[in-house]
Amino acid sequence: MTAALSSDGNIVLPQSVRDQLNLQPGDDLNIIVDEDEIILRRVAPESGRDWVDTLLACPYPFEVPEREKDDSPPLEL
């Protein structure tokens, strides 16, 4: 499936794609550029999906570094 880039830099997502993903006018899409690829990813609506789920859905491998435990008492304000 292809879509042409307009002289203004716009593309139109085919109706079949919009229907399959239930995209509506005003929905936000993240644009990810990876070398010569452009990846569009729908921004999850406020549905309880947090940033960890978003990271886990990433198609590229990543590592979560180990965290140091901080046993110091909380600061008093």
Side-chain angles (χ1 to χ4, degrees):
M1 184 176 313
T2 63
L5 185 66
S6 75
S7 60
D8 293 332
N10 297 315
I11 61 169
V12 175
L13 295 176
Q15 185 67 49
S16 61
V17 172
R18 297 191 313 260
D19 290 345
Q20 182 179 353
L21 297 174
N22 193 28
L23 292 173
Q24 303 298 319
D27 284 354
D28 291 321
L29 301 171
N30 281 332
I31 302 169
I32 303 163
V33 178
D34 182 25
E35 295 182 19
D36 64 343
E37 294 183 332
I38 300 169
I39 301 166
L40 296 177
R41 183 177 300 263
R42 177 177 34 193
V43 175
E46 298 299 325
S47 62
R49 184 174 181 192
D50 63 8
W51 64 272
V52 172
D53 292 327
T54 302
L55 287 174
L56 291 174
C58 178
Y60 302 101
F62 68 94
E63 292 184 25
V64 178
E66 290 293 323
R67 293 175 49 183
E68 293 181 24
K69 186 173 180 182
D70 182 3
D71 291 326
S72 61
L75 296 175
E76 294 196 25
L77 302 176

